[in-house]
Each structure stands twice: as structure tokens, then as C-alpha cells.
């Protein structure tokens, strides 16, 4: 598969989608292809004043959108779902060119992202409320749901479509308007999705998209505005903590999907075929650049030798290169800084006694690539073990007892996801239930599903996205005491 779009330069609309109109910017922001380092487009680089204009449009549209029929909101989302499916190859090419993941993975992201539109189109028309007699007295208790109000959605670069639909779809279903700020590395996909919403019949001002390199200036301006009532963010824990502190000033409703440090545990009863396959899936999707990527591999000592050998063989067999070339299975990291950081993590671990059991991370040629690499003997004090890697490195340690494995797995401030493999169902489920994470993959390396509540505990976030609870993040409960 090769792109029908020139990789030297892509057409991009004026970057600011405000109040249903495409608005030219005063300055440009380049967008690069991480597989080559070449600039492929330039989009407008918004100022905080533009962000305030976006909020003006969202506020102006809020009352009418909140009062619209749930069926109408559902139909708009279903229209967007159909259009996204029709344009899937074009959107996937856009994702690959600006983010780097292989085209087949990008197609998978489009399908995954589209399902949030369909899921929340169905959730939009589900009645939510309660009516019952008060325990004492002649009153009735009525509990209704109302939209929270205008929301700011800040999305990351690693899933430039799916993270947008995962936030916008429930907001629209609930009756909330949105200001979207996509990552500066990957604005093109978000802008293409604005075209889809426009063609789907979304009223002007309900969703507004602002692309900017000044994330701090934009968030500061909007989070200080009392008209904003909701913040939803996916990104690093460090940035999330800062945004939480800023959101406290206006006591905003917040949803935070933050960093992970996922343990991947192979119990003594594990089926190694399943475990190795699951490890490749959990580690190397998006070249390891996912918050749910397996980060720390804990393998029972009786299985460690064979598991390591087989995993290293799988890693070595995966072609690395430009995601628009069909045979390549591992794409680039997002930029040169990411390569330097991941390489530094490997170098530090090697300096403290770790060993490489597959081809090393170095990659010759243009672009920002790191080869998938298995490392053993990794010290628990190194950053490779303690920090979120966000790259294709797989550090392995062994354990003797299940209790030891659980203590090692939980020894982190993160609590987003974990993985556990074992054929003794009782022991495996017990381990999964005791693991301190918001999600667990049991004998699978894939946990993401629009029908399931996605989110973490501890420093990995607040709230859930997807599932039946996803829409609740955009709804307030109102209690009516009715005297009869």
C-alpha cells in the first residue's frame, strides 16, 4: 500500500474551525512525517484569543444543542459514523503520514474510532433518571440528567482520530458543546474529522477545533473562563497534574486519562503461545507509543528462558520502516526527541547490567525509528523499569512466587492497565482482581473496546471513557423534591 497523497506536502484546510466556519490564522505551524522528517503540511497556529473565540462559539451553541432531541443528536452521530467509514482509507493515510503508524494499524484506528460514534449514538437515546417516593413524608424524588455544559477536549498525538471521537461522541450525545485542541504533531486528522462533522449536519458552534503550538497559553485562557464547565484530557501524568490544578480554580468537572506503567505478568500456568502473542500485541502496537502498552514484563522463572527467546525472535522478525510501505509492521516514533529519550532509557539499563536479547534499538536511515528490543536483567532502579517507556523496548524480570509478582507489578504510582496470563483460571482471576489497575487484560494483549469503561486508578487518571459510564462524565444529576 502506498499513499495517494504526496508525502512531500498534504492539503490542509485553514486550521481553525470556529462556529461552523473555517477561519484563516495569522501564523503557520508545520506538520512533519516522522518516517522521513519532511514537512508535509502547514496549519494555522492559534493564539489564546482564537481559543476564546472558539469558546464563544461553543457557549452560543450550548443551549440549543442541549435542548435538541436526543434522537437528533443520535442521528448526527450516526451520520458521522457512516461518513467516517466511507472515508476510512483517506483518514488512515492521513494518520500514517502525520503520526507514522503502519497503514493497516491506522485503518484499525479508524474502525475503532468510528465505533465510539456508533456506541454513543445509541447511548444518546437511552433514558436516564429516577422517580420514587421519599422514604418519609408525602414527597416524590425525581432525579434527572442535564448536560454539564461547554467542554474543553485536549487530545494526544498517538491516536489522533480515536482519542478525538472517544471524547467528542459522548459529549455530543449528552448535549454538550466542545472546544477541541488536538496535539500539534497531528492536527490534520482532527481537521479531517471536523469536515466529517460538518457534512454530518452538526450545527455550527457545537464542535470547534483550534490547532496551536501554545498549549499552555490556550489552556490557561480557557480554564480561567467561568463559562467552561468541563475538561477532558488524555496525556502524561505530569501535564495532567498541572491541568488539574488549573481546573480547580473554576471547580470544573474533569476526566483525566493519564500515563501508565503496565505490568505484563506470565504466571507459571501460562500458555506460552498465548503469552508471546499477547506480549507482541500489548508492547508493539503503535511502536509501543500507547498508554496501555506493556511496560514491565514479569515472567515466572520456570518459563523465562523460553518466553524471552521466543519474544526476541518475534521482535527480530518484524520489518521496521515507513508505515505507508505495506510490508513494514513497526513505524517510527513521533519525533527525534522521542528517539533520544527511548535510546537513553536503554543505554542506562545496559550500563546497570541489562543485556539485549534481540537486535538493538539502533536504526540506520531517515526518520525517527527504534527497533523492537528485548532486554533482560533490568535493574528495578533504572528509569527503563520505573518510567513509562512509550517506545518498543521490552524489559524482562523474573519472579518465583505469585505474591512476589503482585508486589512487583503494583510497585508504581501508575494504575492504568495490567496484563496477566495463566491457564489456572482461579489463580489468574485472583491475580487480576488484586492488581491495582483500572483495567486488566486476562490472557489477551488488547483491552480497548468502545463498549467498556476505559480508565485508571492512582496517578493514571480520573473518570472513565467508553461503555455505559462514558456519557455520565458529561451529565450532571439534578434532584427535584416534588411535594404532593
Amino acid at each position: 500500500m502506498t499513499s495517494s497523497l504526496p508525502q512531500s506536502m498534504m492539503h490542509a484546510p485553514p486550521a481553525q474551525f470556529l462556529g461552523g466556519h473555517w477561519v484563516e490564522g495569522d501564523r503557520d505551524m508545520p506538520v512533519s512525517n516522522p518516517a522521513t522528517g519532511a514537512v508535509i503540511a502547514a496549519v494555522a497556529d492559534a493564539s489564546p484569543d482564537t481559543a476564546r473565540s472558539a469558546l464563544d462559539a461553543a457557549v452560543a451553541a450550548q443551549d440549543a444543542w442541549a435542548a435538541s432531541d436526543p434522537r437528533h443528536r443520535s442521528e448526527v452521530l450516526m451520520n458521522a459514523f457512516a461518513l467516517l467509514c466511507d472515508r476510512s482509507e483517506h483518514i488512515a493515510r492521513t494518520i500514517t503520514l502525520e503520526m507514522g503508524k503502519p497503514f493497516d494499524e491506522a485503518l484499525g484506528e479508524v474502525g475503532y474510532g468510528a465505533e465510539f460514534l456508533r456506541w454513543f449514538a445509541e447511548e444518546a437515546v437511552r433514558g436516564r433518571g429516577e422517580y420514587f417516593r421519599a422514604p418519609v413524608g408525602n414527597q416524590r424524588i425525581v432525579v434527572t440528567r442535564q448536560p454539564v455544559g461547554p467542554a474543553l477536549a485536549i487530545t494526544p498525538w498517538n491516536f489522533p482520530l480515536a482519542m478525538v471521537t472517544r471524547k467528542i461522541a459522548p459529549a455530543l450525545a449528552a448535549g454538550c458543546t466542545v472546544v477541541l485542541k488536538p496535539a500539534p504533531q497531528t492536527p490534520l486528522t482532527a481537521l479531517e474529522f471536523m469536515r466529517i462533522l460538518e457534512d454530518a449536519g452538526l450545527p455550527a458552534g457545537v464542535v470547534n477545533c483550534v490547532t496551536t503550538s501554545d498549549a499552555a497559553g490556550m489552556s490557561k485562557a480557557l480554564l480561567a473562563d467561568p463559562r467552561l464547565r468541563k475538561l477532558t484530557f488524555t496525556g502524561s501524568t505530569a501535564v495532567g497534574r498541572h491541568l488539574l490544578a488549573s481546573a480547580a480554580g473554576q471547580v470544573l468537572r474533569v476526566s483525566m486519562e493519564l500515563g501508565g506503567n503496565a505490568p505484563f505478568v506470565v504466571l507459571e500456568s501460562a500458555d506460552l503461545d498465548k503469552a508471546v502473542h499477547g506480549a507482541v500485541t500489548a508492547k508493539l502496537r503503535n511502536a509501543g507509543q500507547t498508554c496501555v502498552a506493556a511496560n514491565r514484563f514479569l515472567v515466572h522463572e520456570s518459563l523465562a528462558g523460553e518466553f524471552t527467546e521466543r519474544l526476541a525472535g518475534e521482535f527480530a522478525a518484524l520489518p521496521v520502516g515507513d508505515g505507508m510501505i505495506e510490508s513494514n509492521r513497526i513505524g517510527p516514533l513521533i519525533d527525534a526527541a522521542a528517539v533520544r529519550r527511548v535510546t537513553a532509557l536503554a543505554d542506562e539499563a545496559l550500563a546497570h547490567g541489562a543485556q539485549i536479547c534481540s537486535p538493538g534499538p539502533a536504526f540506520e536511515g531517515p526518520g525517527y525509528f527504534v527497533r523492537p528490543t528485548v532486554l533482560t536483567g533490568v535493574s528495578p532502579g533504572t528509569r527503563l523499569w520505573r518510567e513509562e517507556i512509550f517506545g518498543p523496548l521490552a524489559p524482562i524480570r523474573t519472579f518465583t512466587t505469585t505474591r512476589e509478582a503482585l508486589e512487583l507489578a503494583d510497585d508504581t504510582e501508575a494504575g492504568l492497565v495490567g496484563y496477566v496470563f495463566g491457564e489456572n483460571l482461579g489463580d489468574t482471576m485472583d491475580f487480576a482482581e488484586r492488581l491495582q489497575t483500572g483495567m486488566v487484560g486476562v490472557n489477551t494483549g488488547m483491552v480497548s473496546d468502545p463498549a467498556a469503561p476505559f480508565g485508571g486508578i492512582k496517578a493514571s487518571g480520573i473518570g472513565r471513557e467508553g461503555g455505559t459510564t462514558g456519557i455520565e462524565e458529561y451529565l450532571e444529576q439534578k434532584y427535584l423534591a416534588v411535594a404532593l
Side-chain angles (χ1 to χ4, degrees):
M1 173 64 67
T2 58
S3 173
S4 63
L5 299 172
Q7 297 199 36
S8 58
M9 181 66 70
M10 292 178 60
H11 170 70
Q16 315 311 332
F17 186 64
L18 308 177
H21 302 286
W22 294 101
V23 179
E24 294 280 359
D26 295 328
R27 57 186 182 181
D28 287 341
M29 178 174 70
V31 182
S32 299
N33 180 350
T36 64
V39 173
I40 57 172
V43 298
D45 190 357
S47 68
D49 286 341
T50 305
R52 280 186 281 264
S53 296
L55 183 57
D56 290 343
V59 170
Q62 176 60 51
D63 287 348
W65 184 246
S68 64
D69 291 340
R71 177 62 66 191
H72 172 64
R73 301 198 295 267
S74 175
E75 288 171 349
V76 170
L77 286 168
M78 282 305 299
N79 289 344
F81 168 77
L83 288 168
L84 182 54
C85 291
D86 287 344
R87 302 175 191 179
S88 60
E89 290 202 2
H90 173 72
I91 300 295
R93 290 187 182 101
T94 304
I95 291 171
T96 296
L97 289 175
E98 70 173 344
M99 187 269 137
K101 68 181 61 176
F103 179 75
D104 284 347
E105 278 196 36
L107 272 178
E109 179 183 342
V110 175
Y112 173 58
E115 285 301 320
F116 285 105
L117 300 173
R118 178 156 62 175
W119 176 266
F120 285 108
E122 295 164 345
E123 287 292 294
V125 296
R126 304 288 180 251
R128 286 172 170 79
E130 300 171 75
Y131 174 92
F132 58 96
R133 182 172 179 168
V136 178
N138 194 31
Q139 284 191 342
R140 297 297 183 268
I141 293 173
V142 179
V143 181
T144 65
R145 302 289 197 278
Q146 295 181 338
V148 170
L152 170 60
I154 302 176
T155 56
W157 49 261
N158 57 340
F159 288 90
L161 176 77
M163 297 303 97
V164 169
T165 59
R166 195 161 78 179
K167 296 180 185 303
I168 286 180
L172 297 186
C176 296
T177 58
V178 179
V179 175
L180 170 68
K181 191 210 84 65
Q185 298 94 330
T186 56
L188 304 178
T189 304
L191 296 173
E192 292 291 347
F193 185 63
M194 293 304 103
R195 286 172 160 166
I196 286 174
L197 292 179
E198 189 178 25
D199 293 344
L202 187 71
V206 175
V207 175
N208 308 272
C209 182
V210 181
T211 60
T212 181
S213 61
D214 184 13
M218 176 183 173
S219 62
K220 181 179 180 180
L222 295 188
L223 294 178
D225 194 314
R227 300 175 300 167
L228 186 73
R229 297 312 314 144
K230 164 80 180 181
L231 168 64
T232 174
F233 169 75
T234 296
S236 72
T237 299
V239 174
R241 285 189 168 112
H242 175 75
L243 291 173
L244 278 169
S246 299
Q250 298 295 339
V251 195
L252 296 182
R253 283 281 296 273
V254 295
S255 301
M256 293 278 166
E257 195 262 284
L258 306 178
N261 189 8
F264 187 102
V265 182
V266 182
L267 299 176
E268 186 175 12
S269 66
D271 179 320
L272 281 184
D273 288 338
K274 294 179 184 178
V276 171
H277 176 76
V280 172
T281 301
K283 176 72 257 185
L284 294 184
R285 187 162 62 111
N286 211 17
Q289 298 172 111
T290 80
C291 57
V292 294
N295 218 56
R296 298 167 296 141
F297 288 79
L298 296 163
V299 185
H300 190 271
E301 59 183 4
S302 65
L303 303 176
E306 185 178 354
F307 176 86
T308 300
E309 182 180 356
R310 291 175 61 175
L311 186 64
E314 292 283 345
F315 276 25
L318 293 169
V320 178
D322 190 330
M324 290 311 304
I325 298 174
E326 188 172 10
S327 60
N328 289 331
R329 309 314 305 160
I330 305 297
L333 301 191
I334 190 62
D335 54 27
V339 173
R340 289 193 296 270
R341 180 181 177 276
V342 170
T343 302
L345 293 178
D347 289 344
E348 183 200 38
L350 293 171
H352 285 80
Q355 298 89 39
I356 289 178
C357 300
S358 61
F363 184 87
E364 297 295 330
Y368 310 125
F369 293 93
V370 171
R371 290 189 183 279
T373 303
V374 176
L375 300 96
T376 58
V378 178
S379 168
T382 58
R383 290 188 301 137
L384 181 61
W385 192 260
R386 308 299 303 180
E387 297 181 7
E388 187 172 29
I389 298 170
F390 241 64
L393 308 182
I396 296 177
R397 289 182 59 81
T398 64
F399 66 88
T400 303
T401 67
T402 302
R403 178 177 179 179
E404 178 189 4
L406 189 63
E407 289 176 350
L408 289 168
D410 287 337
D411 185 22
T412 174
E413 70 168 8
L416 184 60
V417 66
Y419 303 90
V420 57
F421 282 73
E423 294 302 295
N424 183 318
L425 186 59
D427 290 347
T428 306
M429 288 298 294
D430 180 67
F431 193 99
E433 291 171 359
R434 293 167 65 192
L435 195 61
Q436 295 176 13
T437 59
M439 302 175 288
V440 183
V442 180
N443 289 325
T444 178
M446 180 74 74
V447 298
S448 300
D449 192 311
F454 188 103
I457 61 174
K458 300 196 292 188
S460 286
I462 299 170
R464 294 294 184 269
E465 295 181 310
T468 57
T469 59
I471 197 171
E472 295 289 344
E473 299 288 340
Y474 297 87
L475 293 169
E476 296 280 15
Q477 292 191 45
K478 176 175 280 189
Y479 153 54
L480 309 178
V482 182
L484 301 181

